[in-house]
Amino acid sequence: MCVLLAVTVCVLVTKILRWSAPRLLGPSAAERLALAAERELLLAERNRIAHELHDSIGHTLTAATIQAAVAGEVLSTDPAAARAAMRSIEDSTRAALEDLDYALGVLREEQSGTAPTRTLTDLPELLERLRHTGAVVEPELTGELTRVQGTLSRAAYRIIQEGLTNALRHGAGGPIEVRVAAGPDGLDLAVVNRTGAPTGPGQSPGSFSTSGHGLPGLAERVRLLQGEFRSGPDGTGRWRLAVRLPVRASV
């Protein structure tokens, strides 16, 4: 009887230890590595979304502010131009809302559908919307841009978009040069604008406050794609953003 009782107690103790050991000792090394990898992927995705929102919403608000000022200035003298500016505001804000809805869905871990993707093929539309702010845009697009696909094309679009946003916020008027050149080994991007006190419609020095995350965010995006990033005055009274992305970064 005593032997049977001892065996029963041993079995119960063994089961209790098996159940309580993971809780008392914590996850195993393999489980900790898996959890760390999962957290890293989650943080990387949220960081990517933060960059996307900064680029999309920041550009849209900057352009819409200037377009609204332009529409107000020409409303009585050029109603057609005012209507065009308002249509551009509608189009750009609708696109930004799509980006925002998707990002909020991901952050809330909801089913948010397909991510909005804008690539180099959408660049002409972006430049056209920019012209409705009164800006003069001088694009130079060379190479077979339609062959640039995947991550490389999406990143290139966002880099140009952020460069244009900075030119609108901090530029001194005059033409904004946009260069995109697709070669066999890499993709070269550049946005060049005059520096100094803004002189465009609806702008004045200090019109736009910024978070300070734009250029560092671009530099990080380019670094992750193993590219080269340069930004700053070029010594001729102009600000130059220049990026080179290797073709191997495309996925």
Side-chain angles (χ1 to χ4, degrees):
M1 184 69 179
C2 291
V3 173
L4 179 60
L5 180 61
V7 170
T8 302
V9 169
C10 287
V11 171
L12 289 174
V13 169
T14 300
K15 289 183 177 180
I16 292 172
L17 289 175
R18 286 178 178 174
W19 177 84
S20 61
R23 292 158 179 80
L24 295 175
L25 299 177
S28 66
E31 290 171 334
R32 286 196 295 271
L33 286 174
L35 287 172
E38 183 178 348
R39 282 195 297 269
E40 184 177 355
L41 288 174
L42 178 61
L43 289 174
E45 176 64 8
R46 294 195 172 191
N47 191 43
R48 183 190 67 79
I49 290 173
H51 284 314
E52 293 290 327
L53 280 182
H54 176 276
D55 295 346
S56 175
I57 305 300
H59 175 83
T60 299
L61 291 178
T62 298
T65 300
I66 298 174
Q67 287 166 341
V70 170
E73 290 178 1
V74 302
L75 184 59
S76 58
T77 59
D78 193 347
R83 285 194 296 269
M86 298 304 293
R87 282 196 300 269
S88 181
I89 292 174
E90 181 184 359
D91 293 341
S92 59
T93 51
R94 183 181 291 113
L97 282 173
E98 291 176 3
D99 292 338
L100 182 60
D101 286 344
Y102 172 75
L104 291 178
V106 172
L107 293 176
R108 292 170 181 163
E109 299 182 351
E110 299 172 351
Q111 189 69 28
S112 21
T114 304
T117 58
R118 292 174 181 81
T119 65
L120 287 176
T121 60
D122 299 298
L123 197 55
E125 179 185 352
L126 176 65
L127 298 179
E128 185 59 30
R129 288 202 303 267
L130 198 71
R131 292 187 178 98
H132 286 298
T133 67
V136 177
V137 186
E138 297 180 349
E140 181 184 339
L141 312 178
T142 59
E144 297 185 53
L145 300 185
T146 56
R147 297 187 63 180
V148 182
Q149 300 292 325
T151 298
L152 186 63
S153 188
R154 294 191 296 271
Y157 177 90
R158 292 303 190 189
I159 289 168
I160 293 294
Q161 184 183 52
E162 179 63 17
L164 291 171
T165 303
N166 288 336
L168 287 176
R169 284 174 172 169
H170 309 297
I176 301 174
E177 301 173 20
V178 178
R179 179 173 179 264
V180 180
D185 301 320
L187 183 65
D188 290 295
L189 312 170
V191 178
V192 182
N193 61 276
R194 285 172 51 195
T195 57
T199 59
Q203 292 183 320
S204 61
S207 292
F208 298 100
S209 59
T210 60
S211 64
H213 299 312
L215 289 178
L218 279 187
E220 181 180 357
R221 187 193 292 269
V222 173
R223 178 183 61 79
L224 291 174
L225 291 171
Q226 303 175 16
E228 302 171 11
F229 175 89
R230 298 190 307 278
S231 180
D234 64 1
T236 65
R238 302 187 303 173
W239 184 278
R240 179 181 298 273
L241 168 69
V243 170
R244 180 171 176 80
L245 299 174
V247 168
R248 66 177 177 275
S250 181
V251 295

